[in-house]
Amino acid sequence: MKWERMEAKKVLEELGTFKDGLSSEEARKRLLEYGENELVEEKKEGPIRLFLNQFMDVLIILLIVAALVSYFIGDFLDAMVILFVVVVNAIIGFMQEYRAEKAMEKLKSLIATEAVVIRDGEIKRIPARELTIGDLVIIEEGDNVPADLRLIETSELRIDESIITGESIPVHKTHEVSDKGDNIAYMDSNVVSGRGKGVVVAVGMESSIGKIAGMIQEEEGKTPLQEKISRLGKSLGLIAVIVCSIVFILQFLKGINIVETFMTAVSLAVASVPEGLPAILTLTLALGMQKMARNNAIIRRLLAVETLGSCTFICTDKTGTLTLNKMRVRKSLLTSENRALEVCALCNNASFSNDKVIGDPTDAALLLFARDKGYIKGELEEEYPRIKEIPLDSERKRMSTIHSSTSGYYLFIKGAPEIILERTGYIEEEGKIRRFNDADLEYWKKKLDEMTSQALRVLALAYKPLDGLDDGEDLERDLIFVGLVGMMDPPRKEAAEAIEVCKKAGIKVVMITGDHKDTAVAIAKELKLMEDGEAITGEELDKLSDEEFESIVEDIRVYARVFPQQKVRIVETLQNRGHVVAMTGDGVNDAPALKRAAIGVAMGSGTDVAKEASDMVLQDDNFATIVKAVKEGRTIFDNIRRFVKFQLSTNVGAILTIVSSSVMNIPLPFNPIQILWINIIMDGPPAQSLGVEPPEKDIMARKPEKEDILPQRNLLRIVLAGIIMAIGTLAIYMYKLSTGDARASTIAFTTFVMFQIFNVFNCKSQNGFSNKLLFFAIATSFILQLFVIYLPPLQSIFRTRAISIMDWMLIILAASLILVHEAIIRWIDKRRRL
C-alpha cells in the first residue's frame, strides 16, 4: 500500500488508529497478528556440517582418492602432501562461509532497542520489539527510528537515511502527501534535527531494513572460478578412470604381474590428477591478496581476487567512490569578488580544526573557496565581528549574519537564488553600486538556469550596509547582489582514468546512486562514463517489466534514486544476461546487492554490515583501486591457466608414453615410483613458480575472460606438447633398448623430466624474465633429478643408473624440441592475427 500518497487522516483510518494511539489490549492483539518488531535470523547449518561440506567437491574427492592410493602403494610423502592441501582448502572455505553469516549479526546490532509511543492516550517508553502496526511513535533529535513510520506531524524534521539510500545528506521530512517518500521515516535511520510523530506502517522483516535483512541471508552462488574448477575436476576424474582402465587391461593382456600392473595403472591415474591445483590456487590467490592489501584493497574471500578479473560489469556507487564526497565550489559568477568572498567566509558556520573543515558540507565548500582566494574567516571576523545570526530553515531558504565594523553594520546573506534575487535592489560591479533592473533579473535567471543544468547546487550571495539594528524592519530587503556560486561533489581524477582503462578492458561501468538524476548524469558525463547509453530513475525502473528491463539493461549507464531491492534487481538482471557483475557499496542498503553480485566491494568508510556482506573492502574508497584489483585478478587467472597447461601437458605426455609402449609391446619406460616422482617434482617448484608470473603487457587491453580454465586452443597445444614428449621419450628409449643399453629406462625417465623443465618456459608469461622464483624452481628440480640419478641410496629406490655426458647431450637435444614446437605455434598465431 502506498502510504506516502494518502492523507494523514486517511492513513489513521486505514490502520484503525486514533489520536490517543492504540489501546494496550489492541496492541497485544496486533502483536500476535503481525509478530514482534525484530529481525529474524534464518537457521543455518552448524559449524561441523559447514566444515564437512567443504569436502563435497569432485576435485577434492579425487584428491582424497589419490592420497589413499598413494599411501597404499607406498608413497607416504605424496599422500601426506595431498591430504594437507585438501585440509587447508577446507579450513579456508569453512572460515569464509562462517564469516558470511556475520552480516546479519551486524545488522541486528543497529536496530533501536526502545521507542516512545502513545498508547491509551499516554506517552510511554517501551521496548522497540513490542511496536506493532498502527502504533503512534514520537521521534526527535538523536533518536533511531524504531520502525517504518508514515509521518503525521513534523517540525523541522531532518533524518539521515544513508543506511537506506546511501546518500549522506540528511533529508527534510514532511507530513504532507508526497510521491517521493518524504513523509516516510524508515526503520533504523537517524533523526538529525527537529521532531515528528508517525504511525507504524511496517515492522520487523516487513520493514525496509527487514527486507534488506532477508536478502542478505540468501545463499550465495558459486564464483566463476569455482564453476570452472568444478568442470575441470569432473573432466579430469573421467580421464583418470579411463586411463587407469586402459593401461590395466593392456598390461594384464600382456601377462605382466597383476600387482605391478595395478600399481602402474593407479600411479598413472594419480599422475593424471593435478593435485597441485588447490595448492597452487591457494598460494596464487593468497599472494594476490597480499599485493592488493598494499594497494588499499582488503580481500575477504580468496576466490574474489580472480572473480574481479572475469567481471564484465562494475556497478559502482557515486558518492565517495567516483567522487571525493566533499562538496566544492565548481563554478562562480561574481560581480564583486571582494564582497562575495567576504560573504562566503563570514555568513558561514563551518570552521577549521587542524586544517580540516568542521560543519555543514555547503558551508565547508564556501569556507574553502574563500580561503583558497586568501579570505580567512578568523582574520575577517577580527574586522567584522558577528553580532547576530538569522538562521537558515526550510521555509526561509536563506541565512543571514550581521556584523559590526569601523564603518558601521553590515548584513551578509546567502541562500536560494530565486529568494535572494527577489529581495535584491542593487548590484555591485567593479566597486560601483547601481540599481538592479528587470534586464539584470532576466540575465541572472538565465545564468542560474545554465548552472543548474550542469547539476550544480547554486547559492546567491548578497550584502547590505545597515544604519542600525532595528529588529522591527525587514533587514533582508534591498540587498546588494554580488554573484552566484555553484557547488558539487567533484569527481576523482583517477576515477576518470580508471573508467578509460575499463573501456579498453571490455568492462562496462554503471553508476548506481541514490542522488538526483541530473547530478548523477552530470558526473557521469564529466567522467566520460556516459558517452553512450541511458540514465533512468528507480521510479522509472519500477515501471519496467522484467522482460523490458532485460532488453535494455546493457545500455543503461546511470541509475538514480534507487532503493536496495532495485540494486539487487539490476545485479540479477545483468547476471541473467550472462555477465559477471562486481558491485560496490558502503551502506546497509547496499548489503543485499553486495552479497548477490559475483563480487561485492565495500568501502572502508562504510558500515560493518556492508563489509561483512562483501568479498573485498576498499580502504581508500577509490574506484581506481577496483581497476588495479581487476588487473590482479586477470593475472591470477592467467597464472592458474599456465599451471594447468603445464601440468596437463606433463600428464598427457606421461599417459601417451605409457599407453604407446603398451600398445607397441615394449617394456614400460617408467616404473610406478618414477611416475610418482615426475608427478611430485613437476607439481612442486616449477608449477608453483608459474603462480607468481608477472602480468602480460596487454592484460588490460583484452576482453573479459569467459572461457574455461582449459580453452580449446590450450587443449590443442597441450595434446601436441604431450605427443612431442611421448615421441621424443620413446624414440630415445627404443634407440637405447636396441643397443642393449641397461640405462635405457633411466635415460627415458630423465628425458621426460627435462621435457617438463623446458616446457616451463613455454608456459611462463611473455613479459620478460622478472620471475626469479622460476629460475630457482628449475634449478631445484634439475638438482633433485641429479640426486635421483647419481646418489646410490636413491638409485636403489628409483631403480636408476648413472648416465654419461653424451647421454645428457642426447637428452637435452631431444627435450629442447618442446621449445621449438611452442615457437612454431606462436609464430602461426601471430601470422593469423595479422
Side-chain angles (χ1 to χ4, degrees):
M1 192 171 288
K2 298 288 186 181
W3 300 109
E4 63 270 24
R5 295 179 182 175
M6 287 188 189
E7 294 284 349
K9 187 177 179 182
K10 179 68 174 173
V11 172
L12 294 174
E13 287 177 9
E14 285 283 335
L15 296 172
T17 304
F18 304 96
K19 64 178 182 178
D20 290 336
L22 300 176
S23 66
S24 297
E25 183 61 30
E26 179 64 21
R28 274 194 294 273
K29 287 180 184 177
R30 295 190 183 191
L31 199 59
L32 290 172
E33 181 181 353
Y34 297 109
E36 290 191 338
N37 179 35
E38 59 183 3
L39 302 186
V40 180
E41 191 166 0
E42 293 177 7
K43 287 187 178 179
K44 298 285 184 181
E45 291 182 335
I48 295 175
R49 181 69 180 272
L50 208 59
F51 182 71
L52 293 176
N53 284 345
Q54 306 306 313
F55 298 94
M56 298 297 105
D57 180 83
V58 175
L59 188 59
I60 297 299
I61 292 170
L62 274 174
L63 293 177
I64 293 171
V65 171
L68 292 173
V69 171
S70 297
Y71 176 76
F72 284 116
I73 63 175
D75 187 23
F76 180 77
L77 178 62
D78 205 19
M80 290 301 101
V81 169
I82 296 170
L83 286 177
F84 175 75
V85 168
V86 168
V87 171
V88 167
N89 275 273
I91 291 170
I92 291 171
F94 166 76
M95 289 173 64
Q96 289 169 349
E97 287 191 32
Y98 190 71
R99 183 264 315 155
E101 296 178 11
K102 299 298 180 184
M104 185 63 182
E105 292 178 17
K106 294 287 185 182
L107 188 58
K108 288 175 77 173
S109 69
L110 297 174
I111 306 305
T113 55
E114 289 188 323
V116 177
V117 300
I118 301 175
R119 282 191 185 168
D120 303 314
E122 297 178 8
I123 296 176
K124 300 178 180 179
R125 186 176 290 274
I126 65 169
R129 69 174 184 277
E130 294 178 8
L131 279 178
T132 190
I133 303 297
D135 259 325
L136 284 183
V137 177
I138 297 171
I139 53 175
E140 56 188 18
E141 186 174 333
D143 284 348
N144 215 356
V145 179
D148 281 4
L149 310 177
R150 165 57 166 95
L151 298 166
I152 57 174
E153 291 180 19
T154 56
S155 175
E156 295 301 324
L157 182 63
R158 290 167 72 235
I159 296 181
D160 176 3
E161 293 182 345
S162 57
I163 197 165
I164 303 296
T165 65
E167 294 305 312
S168 56
I169 298 175
V171 179
H172 176 74
K173 291 293 182 177
T174 178
H175 56 275
E176 303 294 340
V177 174
S178 169
D179 288 335
K180 299 177 182 178
D182 293 341
N183 52 16
I184 302 290
Y186 297 102
M187 184 175 180
D188 202 35
S189 53
N190 295 304
V191 181
V192 174
S193 62
R195 63 190 307 278
K197 184 193 293 184
V199 59
V200 176
V201 293
V203 294
M205 297 301 286
E206 292 301 313
S207 67
S208 51
I209 207 78
K211 288 173 182 174
I212 291 174
M215 287 187 279
I216 65 173
Q217 293 185 83
E218 293 177 7
E219 289 293 321
E220 289 186 79
K222 284 187 175 181
T223 68
L225 185 60
Q226 284 174 312
E227 291 175 352
K228 289 171 184 176
I229 289 173
S230 179
R231 287 195 293 270
L232 180 64
K234 290 173 184 175
S235 302
L236 294 178
L238 182 63
I239 291 169
V241 171
I242 293 171
V243 167
C244 184
S245 303
I246 291 173
V247 171
F248 181 80
I249 292 168
L250 288 172
Q251 293 292 93
F252 180 74
L253 291 175
K254 287 168 66 176
I256 297 174
N257 179 282
I258 193 163
V259 174
E260 188 174 344
T261 298
F262 176 75
M263 286 180 65
T264 300
V266 171
S267 297
L268 196 57
V270 170
S272 68
V273 177
E275 62 263 34
L277 179 56
I280 295 292
L281 185 62
T282 303
L283 174 68
T284 306
L285 293 173
L287 291 172
M289 284 176 67
Q290 289 182 359
K291 191 179 291 186
M292 288 314 305
R294 292 194 293 271
N295 287 319
N296 293 312
I298 306 300
I299 305 298
R300 305 185 70 251
R301 190 177 177 209
L302 267 182
L303 288 165
V305 187
E306 185 281 329
T307 307
L308 259 178
S310 309
C311 82
T312 54
F313 265 82
I314 299 177
C315 298
T316 175
D317 188 23
K318 173 183 71 68
T319 308
T321 309
L322 295 174
T323 66
L324 294 170
N325 196 19
K326 295 174 182 176
M327 193 72 80
R328 293 289 183 269
V329 173
R330 301 292 305 283
K331 186 174 183 179
S332 61
L333 297 173
L334 308 179
T335 62
S336 173
E337 187 175 88
N338 176 53
R339 284 299 188 190
L341 293 171
E342 285 178 349
V343 174
C344 289
L346 293 168
C347 187
N348 196 313
N349 285 330
S351 60
F352 287 104
S353 176
N354 297 324
D355 209 36
K356 289 186 178 180
V357 187
I358 308 298
D360 177 82
T362 301
D363 276 357
L366 294 175
L367 198 63
L368 287 168
F369 178 59
R371 186 195 67 174
D372 292 344
K373 299 281 188 178
Y375 286 71
I376 312 300
K377 182 180 179 180
E379 295 175 4
L380 288 171
E381 283 182 331
E382 291 179 9
E383 185 180 350
Y384 296 96
R386 184 187 292 192
I387 295 173
K388 183 180 179 182
E389 175 186 337
I390 308 174
L392 168 76
D393 64 39
S394 57
E395 292 181 8
R396 284 170 36 78
K397 295 183 180 179
R398 60 189 184 275
M399 171 190 175
S400 297
T401 54
I402 299 172
H403 302 257
S404 65
S405 75
T406 53
S407 57
Y409 297 101
Y410 286 90
L411 177 138
F412 296 113
I413 184 170
K414 68 172 187 278
E418 60 273 18
I419 301 292
I420 301 298
L421 289 172
E422 277 179 13
R423 293 172 168 268
T424 294
Y426 302 88
I427 183 170
E428 182 172 331
E429 294 174 319
E430 298 177 358
K432 296 179 181 179
I433 298 172
R434 64 171 177 81
R435 273 283 178 186
F436 191 79
N437 55 43
D438 291 342
D440 291 322
L441 182 61
E442 196 66 33
Y443 173 82
W444 285 103
K445 280 185 176 180
K446 185 179 178 182
K447 289 297 180 185
L448 173 61
D449 290 341
E450 288 175 7
M451 293 175 76
T452 53
S453 68
Q454 297 167 26
L456 295 169
R457 185 185 179 197
V458 185
L459 290 180
L461 309 173
Y463 79 103
K464 177 184 177 181
L466 301 175
D467 295 328
L469 298 176
D470 184 357
D471 291 335
E473 70 175 276
D474 186 352
L475 299 177
E476 299 172 330
R477 286 280 178 192
D478 291 328
L479 302 171
I480 303 172
F481 180 78
V482 290
L484 300 175
V485 287
M487 288 163 285
M488 184 190 279
D489 179 11
R492 293 176 181 265
K493 180 185 176 184
E494 60 271 28
E497 296 167 355
I499 287 169
E500 190 60 35
V501 172
C502 285
K503 288 178 184 176
K504 291 177 183 175
I507 302 168
K508 292 183 178 179
V509 181
V510 174
M511 180 194 294
I512 302 180
T513 178
D515 209 342
H516 291 281
K517 184 176 179 179
D518 290 344
T519 305
V521 168
I523 292 291
K525 286 181 177 177
E526 191 167 346
L527 289 169
K528 295 185 179 177
L529 185 153
M530 201 175 166
E531 291 179 314
D532 56 357
E534 304 173 27
I536 67 170
T537 63
E539 189 177 355
E540 292 166 340
L541 176 58
D542 278 344
K543 293 175 183 177
L544 297 174
S545 67
D546 289 344
E547 292 74 20
E548 289 172 332
F549 182 41
E550 194 166 316
S551 68
I552 64 169
V553 67
E554 293 172 336
D555 299 321
I556 298 171
R557 293 291 172 270
V558 173
Y559 296 87
R561 288 294 191 191
V562 293
F563 281 87
Q565 298 91 327
Q566 294 168 329
K567 293 183 180 184
V568 172
R569 186 185 178 193
I570 294 164
V571 169
E572 288 181 338
T573 304
L574 284 169
Q575 288 175 335
N576 291 341
R577 298 284 294 179
H579 292 288
V580 178
V581 183
M583 173 79 194
T584 76
D586 55 4
V588 171
N589 63 307
D590 296 316
L594 289 174
K595 192 164 186 182
R596 193 67 55 87
I599 176 164
V601 184
M603 301 298 114
S605 61
T607 62
D608 287 340
V609 178
K611 291 175 187 175
E612 292 293 342
S614 69
D615 304 297
M616 185 171 98
V617 179
L618 301 184
Q619 287 185 302
D620 58 357
D621 294 8
N622 193 339
F623 180 80
T625 304
I626 302 174
V627 179
K628 292 177 185 175
V630 169
K631 183 178 180 181
E632 186 62 32
R634 290 188 173 192
T635 304
I636 285 169
F637 187 65
D638 279 358
N639 287 343
I640 292 169
R641 264 195 178 163
R642 289 186 181 105
F643 164 77
V644 171
K645 178 186 173 185
F646 172 73
Q647 185 65 54
L648 291 188
S649 56
T650 301
N651 296 350
V652 170
I655 290 166
L656 290 176
T657 304
I658 298 291
V659 172
S660 299
S661 59
S662 294
V663 171
M664 290 188 294
N665 202 27
I666 59 174
L668 294 182
F670 316 136
N671 59 51
I673 196 70
Q674 287 174 349
I675 294 172
L676 289 172
W677 172 251
I678 291 168
N679 195 39
I680 292 169
I681 198 173
M682 290 306 130
D683 265 357
Q688 291 181 20
S689 68
L690 291 172
V692 292
E693 276 290 290
E696 302 285 3
K697 289 179 180 177
D698 67 341
I699 196 162
M700 290 304 285
R702 298 177 345 210
K703 300 297 179 188
E705 196 64 69
K706 291 186 178 180
E707 292 182 303
D708 280 343
I709 293 173
L710 197 58
Q712 285 189 346
R713 64 179 183 277
N714 271 14
L715 187 59
L716 180 61
R717 285 188 177 193
I718 286 167
V719 172
L720 287 174
I723 291 170
I724 288 170
M725 291 176 195
I727 291 173
T729 303
L730 287 171
I732 289 179
Y733 180 53
M734 292 171 71
Y735 166 68
K736 289 294 180 180
L737 282 177
S738 67
T739 61
D741 195 331
R743 299 166 304 169
S745 178
T746 302
I747 292 169
F749 169 46
T750 305
T751 300
F752 194 82
V753 169
M754 291 307 297
F755 263 121
Q756 310 319 310
I757 288 175
F758 282 134
N759 195 34
V760 173
F761 290 101
N762 291 338
C763 299
K764 71 176 291 299
S765 163
Q766 296 181 49
N767 190 13
F769 293 89
S770 60
N771 185 2
K772 295 177 182 177
L773 183 62
L774 181 74
F775 295 98
F776 176 77
I778 290 169
T780 301
S781 297
F782 183 70
I783 291 168
L784 288 172
Q785 183 65 18
L786 292 178
F787 287 168
V788 166
I789 297 170
Y790 294 107
L791 291 181
L794 293 177
Q795 285 178 336
S796 61
I797 295 172
F798 288 91
R799 284 179 270 172
T800 57
R801 295 169 182 250
I803 57 179
S804 68
I805 293 293
M806 290 302 295
D807 293 329
W808 273 109
M809 290 176 66
L810 184 63
I811 287 167
I812 290 171
L813 182 65
S816 63
L817 290 174
I818 200 73
L819 296 172
V820 177
H821 151 262
E822 183 69 17
I824 292 170
I825 285 182
R826 288 183 182 179
W827 179 80
I828 292 170
D829 281 350
K830 191 174 181 181
R831 296 284 296 177
R832 280 178 180 172
R833 287 195 293 265
L834 292 176

